[in-house]
Structure formats: structure tokens, C-alpha cells
Amino acid sequence: MEAALAQKRKANALASLGKEQEASFETETETDRQKFKKIDDTDVKNAKGGSENNSSNSTNLPVTVSAPVPAPASKSASAPGPAIAQNYKYKSKNSYSKIRRCIIQNDGKPESMVKLIGLKNLFSKGLPKMPRDYIVRLVFDRRHKSLAILSSDADLERNPAVEGTDDEIVGAICYRAYHEMKFAEIAFCAVAQSQQVKGYGTKLMNLLKMHAVTEGVEYFITYADNYATGYFKKQGFTRTITMPKSRFHGLIKDYDGGTLMECYVHPSIDYTRIPEMIKAQKEYILDRVRDVSKSDKVVYPPLPRGWTPDGQARANANANGNGNVNANGNSLEAGSGAHSGNSLRKNTRGGKTKTGMIIPTLSSRGNEAALRAMAIPGMAEAGWTMTDLLASTAAAKDNDRQRNHLKSELLTIIRKVEDQQFAWPFREPVDTTEVTDYLGVVKEPIDLSTMDKRIRKGDWYKSKQHLQVDMMMMVNNCKAYNDATSQYFECATNLEKFLKVIFQDA
């Protein structure tokens, strides 16, 4: 009896989607399934070495090792074994397969109209500043589509009344695809208030990327407001527009106060398995490191009690058959002079030792400690250098800490300025190909994105005051070029007032 009721409920749910949408959804699911299988097969093939053309792809992964060691010329280093290849197979079922979703479009069917009304209500509540007539116009436009996540089976069991109603929609993204130009513009994105902080925003975007590949879409482009830029950055969007402007210019509407952002959709990436993909890559890299590393294959005896670098020098001299050592344990060679224990301190002035080790031109306790560490057997063989050890000293760490703290403070100021409504004219450089006379008035153009790049580069700004100088120059440039009655001049005036507030303690 219960099985019959469950079968009937499923049939009603499929009927509510409409036969055409059901067929489209099944085709999309089968296409995705075949694509997932193709990706899995390709990954396993690359992991096993692949063909001659794909052999470079299987090892083209960034690796950072604390103690670099030259790779031995061995068969295991050139081709990973079967155990490594197996890590590329997904070991668990795709969690996205349980998510109920559908593509909604104004096809005139009653069930589609119900869901379109649900989308209109969802976007109106989630985007209160957006005009409702504008939302209605785009949602019901036949050229726009929406990918919606529906209530789960568990939610329907708890509340069966929402099935087939406009309250069934958990979240959705409305977009318009320009197939001839191979890009799509995202118009709206929202998740129901009751379903916030559950990861539906990320799931929506990942499902949309997977669906976009089936439509031939290569890029997503959107104008994000100040509250949405953070979300889009997490989903792979960037302010750097790599798509040729000729492909979207004139097709999408420009919005004042919005930030144009872009995302490239890679056709070979399974966006619904990103965590598993990263885990497989990490395991593969660690296995390759173990293959080429010597650190776990060469074991040195423990240092004896009372070991000193001078004593090590005496042991090395005896091992080399040179018994001529002074009282401090350093070898005496013809024409070389005596290198006493104090030579560690003298050598920190710079130069090169007889073994070829380069000593930086510095004199400090940190250098002496680094030299003592380099005398430990196995340190040089493991790939450590004086530069590596000096970078780990307290003084170097303090300098890095101060530099990173300043960088963090400056980036925070940039973010605060960008988040203001009047900051939109200053976010990107002025396009001098369109504003041809701009450089005739403004001799030193500057903008927020340029400042952001300078901060991230490292040592451009030495203090907050240096950043304040560039900020004020940006304000003065805007006032110098634009008329006092223009909206740009008004934005510059508001920004100047805001800068006085955030830099008052600088």
C-alpha cells in the first residue's frame, strides 16, 4: 500500500513538471552522467601516464615541498603506479544527485507559470531594492531561463502541501544565454530566507555551470552590487574581464553602481565534485613527493651528547684523512690559514666557504644559529640553504609579520572604500580609448584596482599615509576632469569626506 502511494506521488510530481520539461531534464541528466564518466576515464588515463600527448597533463600540478630534493632518475618518478591512479576514481556517490532541480522557462504551460510566479516572489523578497516590474519582465521573458532547486524529498514528506506550488522553490538563478556569442548574463540569484546558510548558493552556481556546458556557454557575466561581490568571488568570478568586449558589448545593459564580473566555465571540470577533485589531486601529489623524496630513505645517526659544530669539523677532517686540526677542531691546510671556532662569527660578514656554501653579508645571532644548523649532518643533503634558514629567524619573521599586517590594513581600507555607493566611478581605470582627452587633463591617473595591485605586489606603500596620498590624488583627478554639477564630481566630494573619517587615526 505504501509503495503504491509513493509511486503515485512520484507520478504526480513528474506530471507537474510537464512532459517536455521532464524529457529535457532526463536528457540533461543523461548528458551529465556521460560527461562525468568521460571525466573519470580521462583522469584515470592521465594518472596512469596517458598517451604521449597527455603525459604532461598528468604531472602539471603545483608542488611546494619544505625540503626540495632533486628527483632521482627512476621509473617510478616518471609514471605513477596503479595505486596512485586509483585515487582519481570517485569513491562516493555524487551528493548533487539527490538535489531536485529543474530548468524553468515561460513556455505557456500552467505548471511552468506556477513556478514562474514562485520565482518572481523569491527574487522580490531576496532582492528588495530591485524594482518588481523589472523582475517580472525578466523572469517571464521567453528568452530568459531559470535554474531552480526544489524542496527535497524529506521536506516534502514533512510538508506535502508545498509540492507543486510556488513555495516549492528553495533557490534559483535567472539568466539569459547568448548562444551565438557563447556567454550568458546572470540577471538574478536568490535563496529563500528559511534556507540560508545551507550551501544552496554554491550548489546553485555549480549546477548552473554544469548545465551551461550543455548549452555551449563559455562565460558567465553579471553586474554584481556591493553586497554580492563576495559571493561571486567565491564562485570563481573575477573583475578582470578576459572575454573580448566585442562579444558582449551592446548585448547587456550597463548598471551604475554595479561591478562587472566574469567567470569562465571550463568544459572538462565537474563542478559538482570540486572537493573530491582537490582531495584526489592532493593525494596524488603527496604520493609523487614520496616517490622522489630522500628524506624518509636516508637516516642519519642521532647527534652525540655535547655535539658542537667545531667537533663536527674535527670529525670531518679525520674522516677525510686530514689529522691537522687546531685546538678548536678546524683543519689547518697549507696556505689557507687557521679557521678557528670564532670563524663562524667572522664568516657571517659574507663570502663563500670551501664547501661552496654561500654566506650572506650579515652579522647577527641569527646568522650564527643558521651556520650551526647547516653543520648538522644531512641538512645540506636535504636541500636546505642559508637563505632558507635565515628566512625562518625571528627577525625575518617579525619583518614579514609587520609587512603582512600593513598589507592587511591597506586592503581593508580599499574594501571599505569599494563598498560605498559613491565609489563606483573609481573602481576601475578610466578607458582612455573612449575618453580620449582624459590624459590631457589628468597627468597621473589612479584608481582603486591599481592601488589594490600595488598593495598585493608588496612594497609599494610603506604606510597608510602613502595610500592616503594616492586616494586624494584620485579624488582631485575626478574633480579636475568633471564639471561641478556632474554625478562624478558629487561622488568625488562624498569620497573625500569618507577618506577624512577612515584616515583620521592614520
Side-chain angles (χ1 to χ4, degrees):
M1 185 66 179
E2 293 180 358
L5 290 175
Q7 187 68 22
K8 184 177 181 181
R9 190 185 303 113
K10 181 178 179 181
N12 292 336
L14 291 174
S16 66
L17 291 176
K19 294 181 180 179
E20 183 175 333
Q21 285 188 336
E22 178 186 347
S24 174
F25 180 76
E26 291 297 332
T27 302
E28 176 190 344
T29 304
E30 181 62 27
T31 303
D32 290 346
R33 189 180 299 112
Q34 293 295 332
K35 182 166 56 181
F36 298 160
K37 183 177 184 301
K38 182 179 179 182
I39 293 172
D40 292 344
D41 294 343
T42 303
D43 286 342
V44 173
K45 183 178 180 181
N46 288 339
K48 290 182 178 178
S51 63
E52 190 171 336
N53 295 332
N54 293 334
S55 61
S56 60
N57 294 337
S58 63
T59 58
N60 191 18
L61 296 171
V63 183
T64 303
V65 187
S66 58
V69 180
S74 63
K75 184 177 180 181
S76 61
S78 60
I84 299 177
Q86 290 176 0
N87 288 338
Y88 273 80
K89 295 181 180 179
Y90 297 123
K91 301 177 182 178
S92 60
K93 187 178 180 181
N94 194 339
S95 60
Y96 281 73
S97 61
K98 298 180 180 180
I99 297 177
R100 298 177 61 243
R101 72 266 195 182
C102 64
I103 298 295
I104 305 173
Q105 189 177 15
N106 187 0
D107 54 7
K109 297 181 180 180
E111 55 272 18
S112 299
M113 301 304 289
V114 171
K115 287 184 170 57
L116 288 172
I117 294 174
L119 290 175
K120 184 263 297 181
N121 294 336
L122 175 69
F123 293 137
S124 298
K125 294 176 182 178
L127 307 169
K129 295 184 178 180
M130 193 68 65
R132 293 198 174 188
D133 56 342
Y134 179 71
I135 293 176
V136 172
R137 187 166 71 250
L138 264 61
V139 168
F140 283 84
D141 181 18
R142 294 181 180 272
R143 295 169 297 184
H144 282 73
K145 296 180 181 179
S146 297
L147 186 144
I149 291 180
L150 308 179
S151 298
S152 64
D153 293 332
D155 292 337
L156 291 179
E157 289 183 3
R158 288 191 296 266
N159 189 10
V162 302
E163 186 174 1
T165 67
D166 56 350
D167 293 331
E168 190 180 11
I169 299 176
V170 172
I173 296 179
C174 180
Y175 69 97
R176 177 181 175 182
Y178 296 87
H179 298 98
E180 65 281 358
M181 296 299 178
K182 296 185 177 181
F183 81 93
E185 179 189 12
I186 295 178
F188 309 120
C189 176
V191 176
Q193 284 285 61
S194 60
Q195 303 294 337
Q196 296 283 348
V197 200
K198 294 183 179 180
Y200 281 116
T202 299
K203 292 175 182 177
L204 267 173
M205 190 61 68
N206 290 339
L207 289 171
L208 182 61
K209 290 176 182 178
M210 297 301 296
H211 177 74
V213 175
T214 65
E215 292 193 20
V217 172
E218 294 180 350
Y219 292 91
F220 278 119
I221 197 166
T222 186
Y223 271 96
D225 60 26
N226 295 330
Y227 303 101
T229 53
Y231 163 77
F232 282 106
K233 281 184 179 180
K234 292 179 181 178
Q235 308 309 320
F237 284 72
T238 176
R239 298 180 184 181
T240 303
I241 308 300
T242 59
M243 181 171 55
K245 191 174 182 179
S246 58
R247 287 175 64 171
F248 65 88
H249 185 66
L251 296 177
I252 65 174
K253 182 180 178 181
D254 294 331
Y255 297 91
D256 291 339
T259 302
L260 186 63
M261 303 187 75
E262 172 199 278
C263 177
Y264 173 69
V265 181
H266 200 289
S268 300
I269 293 180
D270 183 355
Y271 289 96
T272 65
R273 289 187 179 270
I274 293 294
E276 298 167 83
M277 190 186 309
I278 295 175
K279 182 179 179 181
Q281 290 178 349
K282 182 179 179 180
E283 292 175 355
Y284 175 73
I285 291 173
L286 291 176
D287 285 336
R288 288 302 304 271
V289 170
R290 295 186 190 101
D291 279 349
V292 302
S293 175
K294 294 181 180 178
S295 60
D296 61 337
K297 300 178 179 65
V298 180
V299 181
Y300 290 85
L303 297 178
R305 185 184 298 275
W307 178 92
T308 62
D310 295 336
Q312 184 66 36
R314 183 185 293 108
N316 292 340
N318 292 332
N320 294 328
N322 181 12
N324 297 322
V325 295
N326 61 13
N328 292 308
N330 293 281
S331 61
L332 297 174
E333 297 180 1
S336 63
H339 297 272
S340 65
N342 293 329
S343 64
L344 284 175
R345 188 174 292 104
K346 293 177 181 178
N347 280 340
T348 56
R349 296 175 183 174
K352 183 182 291 187
T353 65
K354 289 186 298 180
T355 59
M357 182 177 68
I358 298 175
I359 303 175
T361 309
L362 292 172
S363 178
S364 66
R365 292 182 179 180
N367 286 37
E368 295 177 21
L371 285 168
R372 287 195 296 270
M374 287 299 298
I376 298 175
M379 287 291 291
E381 291 79 359
W384 287 95
T385 64
M386 281 292 296
T387 304
D388 297 329
L389 294 174
L390 289 173
S392 63
T393 61
K397 288 181 178 179
D398 287 342
N399 291 335
D400 290 340
R401 192 179 298 111
Q402 293 175 5
R403 191 183 303 111
N404 292 334
H405 179 69
L406 176 62
K407 182 185 293 186
S408 177
E409 286 187 327
L410 298 183
L411 289 174
T412 300
I413 293 175
I414 294 291
R415 296 287 87 80
K416 286 182 178 179
V417 173
E418 287 181 333
D419 289 343
Q420 304 306 309
Q421 293 288 346
F422 46 76
W424 61 269
F426 309 102
R427 293 189 179 117
E428 300 294 336
V430 175
D431 189 350
T432 55
T433 59
E434 296 181 359
V435 188
T436 55
D437 61 337
Y438 185 76
L439 295 179
V441 179
V442 177
K443 302 304 180 183
E444 296 184 48
I446 189 69
D447 62 277
L448 293 175
S449 66
T450 300
M451 293 184 219
D452 186 281
K453 293 176 183 177
R454 289 178 175 179
I455 295 171
R456 296 181 186 278
K457 188 176 180 181
D459 297 328
W460 186 279
Y461 296 110
K462 304 298 182 182
S463 66
K464 292 182 181 179
Q465 288 79 2
H466 290 176
L467 179 64
Q468 185 179 11
V469 170
D470 273 1
M471 289 276 192
M472 288 307 302
M473 182 169 62
M474 182 175 65
V475 170
N476 294 331
N477 289 347
C478 185
K479 287 185 174 182
Y481 183 81
N482 295 286
D483 187 79
T485 58
S486 66
Q487 58 178 338
Y488 299 99
F489 195 96
E490 181 182 357
C491 289
T493 303
N494 292 332
L495 178 57
E496 184 176 11
K497 296 177 182 178
F498 184 72
L499 293 178
K500 292 179 179 178
V501 175
I502 62 176
F503 283 107
Q504 60 184 356
D505 298 330

